[in-house]
Amino acid sequence: MRRKLVVGNWKMNGNRAANTELLAALKAAGPWVAEVAVCAPFAYLGDVAMSLQGDAMAWGAQDCSAFESGAYTGEVSAAMLAEFGCRYVINGHSERRALHAESDQLVADKAKAALAHRLTPIVCVGETLAEYEAGQTDEVVKRQLSAVIHTLGHCISQVVVAYEPVWAIGTGKTATPEQAQAVHAVLRAQLKAATAQADGMRILYGGSVKPDNATSLFSQPDIDGGLIGGASLKTADFAAICRAAG
Ligand code: PEP
């Protein structure tokens, strides 16, 4: 039985006062049956760690460097994230793939660096609208996941996978539960070919998840929770989504 996981991706939003308020309200709204985490901008990780110390909610970052340390101006290492008590780190979000030209191999190398510091990578895969319309969804997500499988070997069982169709992120368009389930089943089959632990691995759905569609998405057999962008910044919405995963 996989415990559902709901992760808020704050992206580049928030400020110290608003974050403190949001986390206090979420703490008051929890705990939940599902595991819940928030992935905050680097600059706020110290504050988030202080706010959530002793709470059931976990926290994480939205990216990490593939390198251990050195002359990589602007990069933040997995070791640094571990020092701030992060449990999770998002790797390969489509915004980073698109805006920072992150390749499949770089994403895999980042996940490897995260695991080396006992962080759980949340590896994002997903097709663009053009790829979706061309019927290339399965091919694209399998290629993206394959790079991670080859780089991590048997350690692939330690990652969380997030299927996020790019056309559904921040657009208000959501994959139907059936569409999402079909892709999750493809990903689960690929994981099964790589590890005997695939049935225990969590595959999250992300892309305009809201309180009114969360229950139907999370009730699909291979959807083990969600990666939530916009709605994670609104206490009532995020709390309702966490409840829907219970
Ligand atoms: C995301 O950024 O990972 C995401 C799923 O965003 P949204 O929920 O806003 O579509």
PDB file of all heavy atoms in Angstrom, residues 7-11 90 93-95 124 162-166 168-173 205-210 226-232, ligand 1:
ATOM      1  N   VAL A   7       2.712  17.427  -2.665  1.00  0.00           N
ATOM      2  CA  VAL A   7       3.855  18.345  -2.555  1.00  0.00           C
ATOM      3  C   VAL A   7       3.467  19.690  -3.166  1.00  0.00           C
ATOM      4  O   VAL A   7       3.030  19.764  -4.317  1.00  0.00           O
ATOM      5  CB  VAL A   7       5.084  17.774  -3.308  1.00  0.00           C
ATOM      6  CG1 VAL A   7       6.265  18.722  -3.192  1.00  0.00           C
ATOM      7  CG2 VAL A   7       5.450  16.398  -2.760  1.00  0.00           C
ATOM      8  N   GLY A   8       3.635  20.742  -2.401  1.00  0.00           N
ATOM      9  CA  GLY A   8       3.409  22.100  -2.917  1.00  0.00           C
ATOM     10  C   GLY A   8       4.688  22.619  -3.547  1.00  0.00           C
ATOM     11  O   GLY A   8       5.756  22.550  -2.943  1.00  0.00           O
ATOM     12  N   ASN A   9       4.586  23.103  -4.761  1.00  0.00           N
ATOM     13  CA  ASN A   9       5.715  23.750  -5.441  1.00  0.00           C
ATOM     14  C   ASN A   9       5.408  25.242  -5.483  1.00  0.00           C
ATOM     15  O   ASN A   9       4.602  25.683  -6.303  1.00  0.00           O
ATOM     16  CB  ASN A   9       5.867  23.180  -6.860  1.00  0.00           C
ATOM     17  CG  ASN A   9       6.908  23.932  -7.668  1.00  0.00           C
ATOM     18  OD1 ASN A   9       7.715  24.685  -7.120  1.00  0.00           O
ATOM     19  ND2 ASN A   9       6.891  23.730  -8.984  1.00  0.00           N
ATOM     20  N   TRP A  10       6.055  25.977  -4.593  1.00  0.00           N
ATOM     21  CA  TRP A  10       5.761  27.416  -4.501  1.00  0.00           C
ATOM     22  C   TRP A  10       6.315  28.194  -5.692  1.00  0.00           C
ATOM     23  O   TRP A  10       5.999  29.355  -5.878  1.00  0.00           O
ATOM     24  CB  TRP A  10       6.365  27.990  -3.222  1.00  0.00           C
ATOM     25  CG  TRP A  10       5.688  27.547  -1.954  1.00  0.00           C
ATOM     26  CD1 TRP A  10       4.608  26.712  -1.852  1.00  0.00           C
ATOM     27  CD2 TRP A  10       6.049  27.907  -0.613  1.00  0.00           C
ATOM     28  NE1 TRP A  10       4.276  26.548  -0.528  1.00  0.00           N
ATOM     29  CE2 TRP A  10       5.140  27.266   0.256  1.00  0.00           C
ATOM     30  CE3 TRP A  10       7.050  28.720  -0.056  1.00  0.00           C
ATOM     31  CZ2 TRP A  10       5.204  27.411   1.646  1.00  0.00           C
ATOM     32  CZ3 TRP A  10       7.122  28.850   1.316  1.00  0.00           C
ATOM     33  CH2 TRP A  10       6.212  28.206   2.162  1.00  0.00           C
ATOM     34  N   LYS A  11       7.195  27.573  -6.468  1.00  0.00           N
ATOM     35  CA  LYS A  11       7.900  28.276  -7.555  1.00  0.00           C
ATOM     36  C   LYS A  11       8.553  29.541  -6.993  1.00  0.00           C
ATOM     37  O   LYS A  11       8.922  29.559  -5.816  1.00  0.00           O
ATOM     38  CB  LYS A  11       6.946  28.577  -8.713  1.00  0.00           C
ATOM     39  CG  LYS A  11       6.120  27.352  -9.129  1.00  0.00           C
ATOM     40  CD  LYS A  11       5.485  27.522 -10.462  1.00  0.00           C
ATOM     41  CE  LYS A  11       4.510  26.389 -10.701  1.00  0.00           C
ATOM     42  NZ  LYS A  11       4.217  26.187 -12.097  1.00  0.00           N
ATOM     43  N   ILE A  90      12.848  18.827  -6.014  1.00  0.00           N
ATOM     44  CA  ILE A  90      12.272  18.644  -7.353  1.00  0.00           C
ATOM     45  C   ILE A  90      13.414  18.682  -8.367  1.00  0.00           C
ATOM     46  O   ILE A  90      14.275  19.569  -8.304  1.00  0.00           O
ATOM     47  CB  ILE A  90      11.247  19.766  -7.661  1.00  0.00           C
ATOM     48  CG1 ILE A  90      10.082  19.725  -6.664  1.00  0.00           C
ATOM     49  CG2 ILE A  90      10.735  19.656  -9.099  1.00  0.00           C
ATOM     50  CD1 ILE A  90       9.139  20.926  -6.759  1.00  0.00           C
ATOM     51  N   HIS A  93      11.854  19.907 -13.313  1.00  0.00           N
ATOM     52  CA  HIS A  93      10.556  20.543 -13.558  1.00  0.00           C
ATOM     53  C   HIS A  93      10.563  21.104 -14.984  1.00  0.00           C
ATOM     54  O   HIS A  93      11.595  21.590 -15.456  1.00  0.00           O
ATOM     55  CB  HIS A  93      10.312  21.658 -12.534  1.00  0.00           C
ATOM     56  CG  HIS A  93       8.918  22.190 -12.572  1.00  0.00           C
ATOM     57  ND1 HIS A  93       8.499  23.086 -13.530  1.00  0.00           N
ATOM     58  CD2 HIS A  93       7.836  21.930 -11.801  1.00  0.00           C
ATOM     59  CE1 HIS A  93       7.216  23.348 -13.335  1.00  0.00           C
ATOM     60  NE2 HIS A  93       6.794  22.667 -12.285  1.00  0.00           N
ATOM     61  N   SER A  94       9.417  21.080 -15.632  1.00  0.00           N
ATOM     62  CA  SER A  94       9.390  21.500 -17.049  1.00  0.00           C
ATOM     63  C   SER A  94       9.824  22.951 -17.227  1.00  0.00           C
ATOM     64  O   SER A  94      10.341  23.320 -18.282  1.00  0.00           O
ATOM     65  CB  SER A  94       7.994  21.297 -17.633  1.00  0.00           C
ATOM     66  OG  SER A  94       7.063  22.101 -16.957  1.00  0.00           O
ATOM     67  N   GLU A  95       9.614  23.774 -16.190  1.00  0.00           N
ATOM     68  CA  GLU A  95      10.059  25.175 -16.322  1.00  0.00           C
ATOM     69  C   GLU A  95      11.581  25.243 -16.377  1.00  0.00           C
ATOM     70  O   GLU A  95      12.146  26.099 -17.064  1.00  0.00           O
ATOM     71  CB  GLU A  95       9.471  26.013 -15.179  1.00  0.00           C
ATOM     72  CG  GLU A  95       7.979  26.245 -15.401  1.00  0.00           C
ATOM     73  CD  GLU A  95       7.156  26.455 -14.142  1.00  0.00           C
ATOM     74  OE1 GLU A  95       7.721  26.690 -13.061  1.00  0.00           O
ATOM     75  OE2 GLU A  95       5.913  26.366 -14.252  1.00  0.00           O
ATOM     76  N   CYS A 124      10.497  15.101 -12.417  1.00  0.00           N
ATOM     77  CA  CYS A 124       9.336  15.466 -13.249  1.00  0.00           C
ATOM     78  C   CYS A 124       9.548  15.031 -14.697  1.00  0.00           C
ATOM     79  O   CYS A 124      10.629  15.224 -15.262  1.00  0.00           O
ATOM     80  CB  CYS A 124       9.136  16.975 -13.241  1.00  0.00           C
ATOM     81  SG  CYS A 124       8.837  17.639 -11.605  1.00  0.00           S
ATOM     82  N   ALA A 162       7.077  12.415 -10.930  1.00  0.00           N
ATOM     83  CA  ALA A 162       5.890  13.269 -11.094  1.00  0.00           C
ATOM     84  C   ALA A 162       5.599  13.409 -12.580  1.00  0.00           C
ATOM     85  O   ALA A 162       6.454  13.884 -13.340  1.00  0.00           O
ATOM     86  CB  ALA A 162       6.118  14.642 -10.464  1.00  0.00           C
ATOM     87  N   TYR A 163       4.418  12.977 -12.980  1.00  0.00           N
ATOM     88  CA  TYR A 163       3.994  13.185 -14.374  1.00  0.00           C
ATOM     89  C   TYR A 163       3.274  14.523 -14.460  1.00  0.00           C
ATOM     90  O   TYR A 163       2.223  14.713 -13.832  1.00  0.00           O
ATOM     91  CB  TYR A 163       3.062  12.067 -14.856  1.00  0.00           C
ATOM     92  CG  TYR A 163       2.402  12.402 -16.180  1.00  0.00           C
ATOM     93  CD1 TYR A 163       3.183  12.771 -17.279  1.00  0.00           C
ATOM     94  CD2 TYR A 163       1.017  12.403 -16.319  1.00  0.00           C
ATOM     95  CE1 TYR A 163       2.590  13.123 -18.493  1.00  0.00           C
ATOM     96  CE2 TYR A 163       0.419  12.741 -17.535  1.00  0.00           C
ATOM     97  CZ  TYR A 163       1.214  13.104 -18.612  1.00  0.00           C
ATOM     98  OH  TYR A 163       0.627  13.469 -19.804  1.00  0.00           O
ATOM     99  N   GLU A 164       3.867  15.443 -15.216  1.00  0.00           N
ATOM    100  CA  GLU A 164       3.289  16.777 -15.355  1.00  0.00           C
ATOM    101  C   GLU A 164       3.219  17.152 -16.834  1.00  0.00           C
ATOM    102  O   GLU A 164       4.218  17.627 -17.403  1.00  0.00           O
ATOM    103  CB  GLU A 164       4.154  17.803 -14.623  1.00  0.00           C
ATOM    104  CG  GLU A 164       4.278  17.583 -13.147  1.00  0.00           C
ATOM    105  CD  GLU A 164       4.557  18.892 -12.403  1.00  0.00           C
ATOM    106  OE1 GLU A 164       5.524  19.577 -12.755  1.00  0.00           O
ATOM    107  OE2 GLU A 164       3.780  19.220 -11.517  1.00  0.00           O
ATOM    108  N   PRO A 165       2.068  16.934 -17.461  1.00  0.00           N
ATOM    109  CA  PRO A 165       1.958  17.382 -18.856  1.00  0.00           C
ATOM    110  C   PRO A 165       2.164  18.894 -18.910  1.00  0.00           C
ATOM    111  O   PRO A 165       1.487  19.637 -18.187  1.00  0.00           O
ATOM    112  CB  PRO A 165       0.534  16.989 -19.245  1.00  0.00           C
ATOM    113  CG  PRO A 165      -0.178  16.593 -17.993  1.00  0.00           C
ATOM    114  CD  PRO A 165       0.833  16.370 -16.930  1.00  0.00           C
ATOM    115  N   VAL A 166       3.097  19.332 -19.732  1.00  0.00           N
ATOM    116  CA  VAL A 166       3.455  20.760 -19.744  1.00  0.00           C
ATOM    117  C   VAL A 166       2.242  21.618 -20.092  1.00  0.00           C
ATOM    118  O   VAL A 166       2.068  22.717 -19.556  1.00  0.00           O
ATOM    119  CB  VAL A 166       4.627  21.002 -20.735  1.00  0.00           C
ATOM    120  CG1 VAL A 166       5.025  22.465 -20.772  1.00  0.00           C
ATOM    121  CG2 VAL A 166       5.830  20.142 -20.365  1.00  0.00           C
ATOM    122  N   ALA A 168      -0.627  21.331 -19.140  1.00  0.00           N
ATOM    123  CA  ALA A 168      -1.573  21.432 -18.024  1.00  0.00           C
ATOM    124  C   ALA A 168      -1.029  22.276 -16.873  1.00  0.00           C
ATOM    125  O   ALA A 168      -1.759  22.556 -15.927  1.00  0.00           O
ATOM    126  CB  ALA A 168      -1.925  20.036 -17.511  1.00  0.00           C
ATOM    127  N   ILE A 169       0.232  22.680 -16.964  1.00  0.00           N
ATOM    128  CA  ILE A 169       0.837  23.389 -15.831  1.00  0.00           C
ATOM    129  C   ILE A 169       0.472  24.866 -15.872  1.00  0.00           C
ATOM    130  O   ILE A 169       0.813  25.579 -16.818  1.00  0.00           O
ATOM    131  CB  ILE A 169       2.370  23.213 -15.829  1.00  0.00           C
ATOM    132  CG1 ILE A 169       2.709  21.739 -15.607  1.00  0.00           C
ATOM    133  CG2 ILE A 169       3.020  24.079 -14.749  1.00  0.00           C
ATOM    134  CD1 ILE A 169       4.177  21.444 -15.599  1.00  0.00           C
ATOM    135  N   GLY A 170      -0.239  25.303 -14.855  1.00  0.00           N
ATOM    136  CA  GLY A 170      -0.594  26.713 -14.719  1.00  0.00           C
ATOM    137  C   GLY A 170      -1.578  27.211 -15.768  1.00  0.00           C
ATOM    138  O   GLY A 170      -1.776  28.410 -15.924  1.00  0.00           O
ATOM    139  N   THR A 171      -2.179  26.295 -16.496  1.00  0.00           N
ATOM    140  CA  THR A 171      -3.053  26.702 -17.600  1.00  0.00           C
ATOM    141  C   THR A 171      -4.531  26.544 -17.263  1.00  0.00           C
ATOM    142  O   THR A 171      -5.391  27.037 -17.994  1.00  0.00           O
ATOM    143  CB  THR A 171      -2.790  25.810 -18.842  1.00  0.00           C
ATOM    144  OG1 THR A 171      -3.017  24.440 -18.459  1.00  0.00           O
ATOM    145  CG2 THR A 171      -1.376  25.970 -19.361  1.00  0.00           C
ATOM    146  N   GLY A 172      -4.818  25.827 -16.180  1.00  0.00           N
ATOM    147  CA  GLY A 172      -6.214  25.529 -15.857  1.00  0.00           C
ATOM    148  C   GLY A 172      -6.721  24.311 -16.613  1.00  0.00           C
ATOM    149  O   GLY A 172      -7.807  23.818 -16.354  1.00  0.00           O
ATOM    150  N   LYS A 173      -5.912  23.810 -17.571  1.00  0.00           N
ATOM    151  CA  LYS A 173      -6.291  22.566 -18.294  1.00  0.00           C
ATOM    152  C   LYS A 173      -5.696  21.391 -17.525  1.00  0.00           C
ATOM    153  O   LYS A 173      -4.504  21.406 -17.208  1.00  0.00           O
ATOM    154  CB  LYS A 173      -5.673  22.540 -19.693  1.00  0.00           C
ATOM    155  CG  LYS A 173      -6.272  23.517 -20.648  1.00  0.00           C
ATOM    156  CD  LYS A 173      -5.626  23.323 -22.010  1.00  0.00           C
ATOM    157  CE  LYS A 173      -6.005  24.489 -22.893  1.00  0.00           C
ATOM    158  NZ  LYS A 173      -4.989  24.801 -23.888  1.00  0.00           N
ATOM    159  N   TYR A 205       0.797  13.123  -9.874  1.00  0.00           N
ATOM    160  CA  TYR A 205       0.311  13.871 -11.040  1.00  0.00           C
ATOM    161  C   TYR A 205       0.420  15.362 -10.724  1.00  0.00           C
ATOM    162  O   TYR A 205       0.101  15.785  -9.599  1.00  0.00           O
ATOM    163  CB  TYR A 205      -1.154  13.521 -11.373  1.00  0.00           C
ATOM    164  CG  TYR A 205      -1.679  14.471 -12.423  1.00  0.00           C
ATOM    165  CD1 TYR A 205      -1.348  14.290 -13.759  1.00  0.00           C
ATOM    166  CD2 TYR A 205      -2.420  15.600 -12.064  1.00  0.00           C
ATOM    167  CE1 TYR A 205      -1.749  15.206 -14.718  1.00  0.00           C
ATOM    168  CE2 TYR A 205      -2.823  16.516 -13.015  1.00  0.00           C
ATOM    169  CZ  TYR A 205      -2.485  16.317 -14.342  1.00  0.00           C
ATOM    170  OH  TYR A 205      -2.865  17.233 -15.284  1.00  0.00           O
ATOM    171  N   GLY A 206       0.819  16.155 -11.707  1.00  0.00           N
ATOM    172  CA  GLY A 206       0.843  17.610 -11.536  1.00  0.00           C
ATOM    173  C   GLY A 206       0.344  18.296 -12.785  1.00  0.00           C
ATOM    174  O   GLY A 206       0.594  17.841 -13.914  1.00  0.00           O
ATOM    175  N   GLY A 207      -0.364  19.393 -12.589  1.00  0.00           N
ATOM    176  CA  GLY A 207      -0.905  20.158 -13.718  1.00  0.00           C
ATOM    177  C   GLY A 207      -2.309  20.595 -13.407  1.00  0.00           C
ATOM    178  O   GLY A 207      -3.267  19.854 -13.615  1.00  0.00           O
ATOM    179  N   SER A 208      -2.402  21.835 -12.830  1.00  0.00           N
ATOM    180  CA  SER A 208      -3.711  22.428 -12.519  1.00  0.00           C
ATOM    181  C   SER A 208      -4.578  21.546 -11.609  1.00  0.00           C
ATOM    182  O   SER A 208      -5.782  21.452 -11.807  1.00  0.00           O
ATOM    183  CB  SER A 208      -4.458  22.806 -13.799  1.00  0.00           C
ATOM    184  OG  SER A 208      -3.720  23.781 -14.529  1.00  0.00           O
ATOM    185  N   VAL A 209      -3.938  20.900 -10.630  1.00  0.00           N
ATOM    186  CA  VAL A 209      -4.734  20.172  -9.637  1.00  0.00           C
ATOM    187  C   VAL A 209      -5.384  21.202  -8.717  1.00  0.00           C
ATOM    188  O   VAL A 209      -4.743  22.144  -8.255  1.00  0.00           O
ATOM    189  CB  VAL A 209      -3.867  19.200  -8.801  1.00  0.00           C
ATOM    190  CG1 VAL A 209      -4.710  18.506  -7.731  1.00  0.00           C
ATOM    191  CG2 VAL A 209      -3.208  18.163  -9.705  1.00  0.00           C
ATOM    192  N   LYS A 210      -6.681  21.028  -8.505  1.00  0.00           N
ATOM    193  CA  LYS A 210      -7.471  21.958  -7.686  1.00  0.00           C
ATOM    194  C   LYS A 210      -8.351  21.105  -6.759  1.00  0.00           C
ATOM    195  O   LYS A 210      -8.520  19.904  -6.997  1.00  0.00           O
ATOM    196  CB  LYS A 210      -8.373  22.816  -8.591  1.00  0.00           C
ATOM    197  CG  LYS A 210      -7.630  23.656  -9.631  1.00  0.00           C
ATOM    198  CD  LYS A 210      -7.011  24.909  -9.002  1.00  0.00           C
ATOM    199  CE  LYS A 210      -6.301  25.811 -10.000  1.00  0.00           C
ATOM    200  NZ  LYS A 210      -5.058  25.391 -10.557  1.00  0.00           N
ATOM    201  N   GLY A 226      -0.084  14.297  -5.599  1.00  0.00           N
ATOM    202  CA  GLY A 226       0.057  15.375  -6.574  1.00  0.00           C
ATOM    203  C   GLY A 226       1.216  16.311  -6.285  1.00  0.00           C
ATOM    204  O   GLY A 226       1.672  16.442  -5.143  1.00  0.00           O
ATOM    205  N   LEU A 227       1.686  16.930  -7.369  1.00  0.00           N
ATOM    206  CA  LEU A 227       2.633  18.038  -7.267  1.00  0.00           C
ATOM    207  C   LEU A 227       1.810  19.274  -7.636  1.00  0.00           C
ATOM    208  O   LEU A 227       1.272  19.368  -8.745  1.00  0.00           O
ATOM    209  CB  LEU A 227       3.813  17.823  -8.231  1.00  0.00           C
ATOM    210  CG  LEU A 227       4.921  18.874  -8.230  1.00  0.00           C
ATOM    211  CD1 LEU A 227       5.493  19.112  -6.834  1.00  0.00           C
ATOM    212  CD2 LEU A 227       6.067  18.443  -9.162  1.00  0.00           C
ATOM    213  N   ILE A 228       1.695  20.190  -6.684  1.00  0.00           N
ATOM    214  CA  ILE A 228       0.713  21.262  -6.790  1.00  0.00           C
ATOM    215  C   ILE A 228       1.413  22.613  -6.890  1.00  0.00           C
ATOM    216  O   ILE A 228       2.169  22.986  -5.978  1.00  0.00           O
ATOM    217  CB  ILE A 228      -0.209  21.275  -5.530  1.00  0.00           C
ATOM    218  CG1 ILE A 228      -0.622  19.849  -5.100  1.00  0.00           C
ATOM    219  CG2 ILE A 228      -1.416  22.177  -5.752  1.00  0.00           C
ATOM    220  CD1 ILE A 228      -1.399  19.051  -6.114  1.00  0.00           C
ATOM    221  N   GLY A 229       1.169  23.353  -7.965  1.00  0.00           N
ATOM    222  CA  GLY A 229       1.771  24.675  -8.122  1.00  0.00           C
ATOM    223  C   GLY A 229       0.883  25.749  -7.537  1.00  0.00           C
ATOM    224  O   GLY A 229       0.836  25.974  -6.322  1.00  0.00           O
ATOM    225  N   GLY A 230       0.131  26.415  -8.398  1.00  0.00           N
ATOM    226  CA  GLY A 230      -0.691  27.572  -7.997  1.00  0.00           C
ATOM    227  C   GLY A 230      -1.527  27.344  -6.746  1.00  0.00           C
ATOM    228  O   GLY A 230      -1.543  28.199  -5.836  1.00  0.00           O
ATOM    229  N   ALA A 231      -2.190  26.217  -6.663  1.00  0.00           N
ATOM    230  CA  ALA A 231      -3.100  25.980  -5.533  1.00  0.00           C
ATOM    231  C   ALA A 231      -2.353  25.779  -4.218  1.00  0.00           C
ATOM    232  O   ALA A 231      -2.959  25.846  -3.146  1.00  0.00           O
ATOM    233  CB  ALA A 231      -3.997  24.775  -5.827  1.00  0.00           C
ATOM    234  N   SER A 232      -1.034  25.562  -4.274  1.00  0.00           N
ATOM    235  CA  SER A 232      -0.300  25.353  -3.014  1.00  0.00           C
ATOM    236  C   SER A 232      -0.049  26.657  -2.282  1.00  0.00           C
ATOM    237  O   SER A 232       0.404  26.654  -1.141  1.00  0.00           O
ATOM    238  CB  SER A 232       1.030  24.627  -3.275  1.00  0.00           C
ATOM    239  OG  SER A 232       1.959  25.476  -3.907  1.00  0.00           O
TER     240      SER A 232
HETATM  241  C1  PEP B   1       3.795  22.726 -11.085  1.00  0.00           C
HETATM  242  O1  PEP B   1       4.353  23.783 -11.240  1.00  0.00           O
HETATM  243  O2  PEP B   1       4.445  21.717 -10.781  1.00  0.00           O
HETATM  244  C2  PEP B   1       2.328  22.679 -11.273  1.00  0.00           C
HETATM  245  C3  PEP B   1       1.751  21.511 -11.352  1.00  0.00           C
HETATM  246  O3  PEP B   1       1.692  23.876 -11.371  1.00  0.00           O
HETATM  247  P1  PEP B   1       0.079  24.120 -11.387  1.00  0.00           P
HETATM  248  O4  PEP B   1      -0.488  23.275 -10.273  1.00  0.00           O
HETATM  249  O5  PEP B   1      -0.067  25.587 -11.104  1.00  0.00           O
HETATM  250  O6  PEP B   1      -0.400  23.723 -12.713  1.00  0.00           O
END
